Amino acid sequence: MGKFSFYPLAGVGASIGENALEDDGSRDSGYSIMGAYGLVGMYAKVTITDKIWLNYNPFWLTTIGGSDNYKDHYYGLNQSHILTHEFAASYQINPRMNLRYFANWNRNVDFMDGDHRLEFNYQL
């Protein structure tokens, strides 16, 4: 749609943990499958120029199976689902190099306290 691109997605996955907390409060030694989750989201992009673009990518995740502890608290105390946000600003230096800024946050972590990172990519 012109300068805008939208890529909806849906999926399911498994959460694997090391020394995961069991329902009885004990720790499972080694790796285990804690449960399954579902995800619905979208990658959205707006092209500012041929070298600059912005992305906003919201994702809603929910637990769909597993231990009671996983299903009830995986995304926080008494939180079985969460809406996450990702923002990215990208600059294409040349066809083989780009620079990107990312920010990630959700209802438990506000924007300023979220994950912020710069990424430089070079294609061989």
Side-chain angles (χ1 to χ4, degrees):
M1 295 174 48
K3 292 181 175 245
F4 296 93
S5 299
F6 301 98
Y7 304 97
L9 63 97
V12 295
S15 296
I16 299 172
E18 182 179 13
N19 302 323
L21 182 64
E22 296 289 335
D23 288 343
D24 64 3
S26 66
R27 291 274 176 193
D28 181 23
S29 63
Y31 291 95
S32 62
I33 297 176
M34 299 182 299
Y37 65 91
L39 174 141
V40 177
M42 175 183 62
Y43 290 104
K45 176 182 171 183
V46 60
T47 302
I48 307 299
T49 71
D50 61 336
K51 291 186 177 271
I52 299 171
W53 64 95
L54 304 174
N55 296 87
Y56 172 64
N57 310 317
F59 297 100
W60 182 77
L61 298 100
T62 187
T63 58
I64 55 177
S67 71
D68 289 338
N69 186 51
Y70 174 82
K71 290 186 298 185
D72 297 338
H73 307 290
Y74 189 65
Y75 301 109
L77 185 60
N78 297 318
Q79 294 180 11
S80 63
H81 57 272
I82 195 166
L83 177 64
T84 65
H85 309 274
E86 178 178 66
F87 169 78
S90 303
Y91 175 67
Q92 190 74 38
I93 298 165
N94 63 44
R96 297 180 76 164
M97 290 188 291
N98 69 43
L99 184 64
R100 302 187 78 188
Y101 161 75
F102 290 92
N104 296 89
W105 71 99
N106 59 54
R107 71 175 172 197
N108 300 325
V109 180
D110 66 22
F111 179 83
M112 293 307 291
D113 291 330
D115 178 33
H116 298 269
R117 62 196 184 280
L118 286 174
E119 182 179 284
F120 172 77
N121 294 295
Y122 180 79
Q123 292 179 321
L124 299 175

